[in-house]
Amino acid sequence: MNDNAGIPELDFDPYAPDVLTDPYPMHHAVREAGPIVKLKPYPTVVASARHEQVHAVLNDHVNFISGAGVGLSNFNKETPFRPKSLILEADPPLHTQTRAVLSRILSPKAVMQVRTAFAAEADALIDRCVAKGRIDGIHDLAQLYPLKVFPDAVGVGDEGRENLLIYGDLVFNSMGPRNELLAKAAARMGPVTEWIMANCARDRLRPGGFGDQIYQAADAGEITHEQAPLLVRSFLSAGVDTTINGIGNALFALANHPGEYARLHADPSLARPAFEEALRWESTAQTFFRTAARDTTIAGVPVEENSKVLCFLAAANRDPRKWPDPDRYDITRRPSGHVALGSGIHGCVGQAVARLEGELVLGALARRVKAIEVAGPPTRRLNNTLRALDTLPLELIAA
Ligand code: 8QM
């Protein structure tokens, strides 16, 4: 069970279909085996499912770098599947420069300016769903909302937006092994990469939108004009599939906890904390990696240079060492310190937008819908990184 460094070795494959379908038994086993473990199918990986170690790794960007990739693949040994992201797969000093630009464009203050438009869309969409009564929570709600409001804010045209779903599915599958999920996602790509890169060009982006603001930062000399399209690509990679599944998982949580939904309906101002608790309880991005930049330690255990370090974000978010009654979905928990949006210098730069979307959808729902009933078994869309539903049959009972 223990290798010579004293690290427990487990048989789990986090990317096996049955584990992706129900990761919680593996999370429990990995968490309880020790602060860090090895996984037999992936000998160059050390993994942690505990909050303390996951948080420590994410907050030590000197020893645990992102520039060699934040998925399983080590870019020191393997070629990335696309040109590296200038923010996600970068370290200081490059990361510091690009992050400054994106963080200003997506700052809480900047995001306040889209609030009115985002709220009107949420209200209109929930009205349409209530009129239907019986909906698919994913296709009729969770997908439609981010796919409308976020590309609108970036300034992308209406044509072909479904390409963002195909692209997001590939980006997040590419952070796992070269398994069947990745092969299937890659096979669906066709002209999608071309569409994505074409929509990163300045002349395609509405003046004043988030995308155009990146080019304005290039005009101001903060980044180069060559970097600008790749930074727009970050919006298109990270801004849609994440919030779709964040909202989808929140609907799943609320539909399966009618008591919690009743509390939300009684007090719609709980929309934001209810979304936050859903991020903790059913974390959208299940895993991220770092790479050890040198021989180092985690929890006193030696970790060799160039090891990939697997952070089980979703498991850390249910670590009983950190959270009382961690498996309970409680909309008044206020789960500060969860790592669903990461932590440290790479913590989600779009979090103000993500939270706004979640709050507005759940708030509009809370005001118009008295109860949500599960109207059939949900189905999962398996992805190497994302916790995602394919369908979520719901019956909305109007207030
Ligand atoms: C995940 O392309 C990017 O910069 C990028 C892609 C995916 C993410 C973040 C950034 C974390 C949401």
Side-chain angles (χ1 to χ4, degrees), residues 82 85 87-88 171-172 175 233-234 237-238 242 288:
R82 58 175 195 163
S85 163
I87 181 162
L88 178 74
V171 167
F172 288 97
M175 294 175 191
R233 192 193 69 176
S234 287
S237 303
T242 47
F288 273 110

Side-chain angles (χ1 to χ4, degrees), residues 96 149 178 239 253 278 308:
T96 315
V149 296
R178 295 197 173 151
K308 293 300 297 200

